[in-house]
């Protein structure tokens, strides 16, 4: 698993850094994963982790880390994780070149 296989944008890294600093926990990392379900077949998930699992791939943007488990990695290869603010609210999003269809809100996809 190469460090360039997934990209954490500057916007996403800034938001993780802000959340990490507000929690006062320098160990917090963004975990991105894929689960079955959603209107298009698979759904993206985001949470925060304090440790790296044995099967995780790690990606960095400055002092911010993003981790992805080995099962999700295959669906996210080549993706960009970003943070956007707009009419739909503020959220992390995945720009996935492997997705053949996505739902209207962008939280689910199929390959």
């Amino acid at each position: 698993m190469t460090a360039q296989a997934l990209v954490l944008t500057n916007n996403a890294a800034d938001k993780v850094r802000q959340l990490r600093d507000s929690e006062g926990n320098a160990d917090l990392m963004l975990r991105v994963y894929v689960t079955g379900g959603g209107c298009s077949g698979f759904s993206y998930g985001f949470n925060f982790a304090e440790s790296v699992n044995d099967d995780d791939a790690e990606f960095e943007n400055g002092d911010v880390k993003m981790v992805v488990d080995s099962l999700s990695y295959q669906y996210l290869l080549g993706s960009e994780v970003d943070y956007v603010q707009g009419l739909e609210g503020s959220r992390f999003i995945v720009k996935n070149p492997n997705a053949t269809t996505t739902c209207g809100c962008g939280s689910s996809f199929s390959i």
Side-chain angles (χ1 to χ4, degrees), residues 31-108:
R31 178 172 294 283
V32 182
Y33 59 92
V34 172
T35 60
C39 54
S40 294
F42 294 103
S43 293
Y44 300 113
F46 304 93
N47 62 30
F48 290 92
E50 293 185 52
S51 60
V52 178
N53 297 329
D54 290 339
D55 71 333
D56 285 341
E58 298 178 55
F59 306 94
E60 296 182 4
N61 180 324
D63 62 339
V64 175
K65 282 189 182 181
M66 173 176 66
V67 292
V68 177
D69 65 87
S70 60
L71 182 62
S72 299
Y73 178 86
Q74 63 187 324
Y75 299 109
L76 296 170
L77 185 63
S79 294
E80 179 181 275
V81 176
D82 198 7
Y83 182 80
V84 296
Q85 299 179 40
L87 294 175
E88 297 176 0
S90 303
R91 61 194 170 116
F92 289 101
I93 63 166
V94 176
K95 296 175 185 173
N96 188 340
N98 305 305
T100 56
T101 59
T102 59
C103 68
C105 67
S107 65
S108 69

